[in-house]
Amino acid sequence: MPHTVVAAQPPAIVMTRVWLVEHDWLHSVYASSANHSPRFRFPDLLSACIALVLASSDAMPALQRFLSTELGARDGGTPRRSCHVWRRQFDDLLREHRAAWNSHPNPKFDLDDIATGCVAVVRAGHDPIGRVLQQARLNYAARSAAERDLQA
């Protein structure tokens, strides 16, 4: 009997971590009355923050500034919370983690630092909850369209 070989698919979501202050803010977005129909969960909310910052050339200096000033001044032993992120945004985090600005001779920030920075930059901007929820809707629509394309 022939065996069918099935290629292993990478997981749809990947675990990362976020510093407590930014995690608490994501929780407030999750609990917000604006988060309804559909109610977006943490992978959607964190992925939206990552997409908003990493897709914007204007936001990258703010991310780097936050990492080098605010996050760099925090106690490195501060606890973090586990959070899932969608694969596409995790791949974007990996790209930034390997970017020249995060390489020798510059200080190296971990993936959880960059994810935290994305949340902080969005939080500091105009209408952060509305922007996160709108981006979560756009990300959801893009994932749904990609899944439909794969099934066709």
Side-chain angles (χ1 to χ4, degrees):
M1 176 188 313
H3 294 278
T4 304
V5 176
V6 178
Q9 296 293 322
I13 56 173
V14 180
M15 175 108 38
T16 189
R17 298 178 308 162
V18 175
W19 290 56
L20 290 178
V21 171
E22 288 73 21
H23 185 276
D24 289 348
W25 184 77
L26 282 175
H27 188 271
S28 75
V29 176
Y30 172 76
S32 167
S33 62
N35 185 15
H36 62 85
S37 192
R39 184 174 185 92
F40 291 107
R41 294 186 171 97
F42 274 77
D44 299 302
L45 302 175
L46 179 55
S47 292
C49 290
I50 292 167
L52 283 166
V53 172
L54 299 187
S56 168
S57 60
D58 294 338
M60 286 305 296
L63 172 64
Q64 293 168 9
R65 189 171 39 258
F66 172 82
L67 292 172
S68 64
T69 58
E70 278 193 57
L71 198 70
R74 292 183 190 176
D75 176 8
T78 300
R80 291 135 170 103
R81 296 242 192 262
S82 296
C83 266
H84 287 94
V85 64
W86 288 100
R87 167 62 62 185
R88 176 163 183 207
Q89 285 74 33
F90 183 77
D91 290 344
D92 293 342
L93 276 179
L94 282 175
R95 183 190 72 233
E96 288 307 316
H97 186 254
R98 296 174 181 143
W101 67 265
N102 199 35
S103 298
H104 181 74
N106 300 312
K108 187 163 195 82
F109 293 98
D110 292 330
L111 289 170
D112 60 325
D113 298 333
I114 299 170
T116 297
C118 289
V119 175
V121 168
V122 170
R123 179 182 178 203
H126 174 72
D127 187 24
I129 293 175
R131 289 177 50 229
V132 167
L133 295 175
Q134 178 59 29
Q135 186 63 49
R137 291 180 200 292
L138 294 172
N139 291 352
Y140 176 63
R143 278 194 316 275
S144 296
E147 287 174 13
R148 280 193 304 275
D149 288 347
L150 287 176
Q151 293 172 354

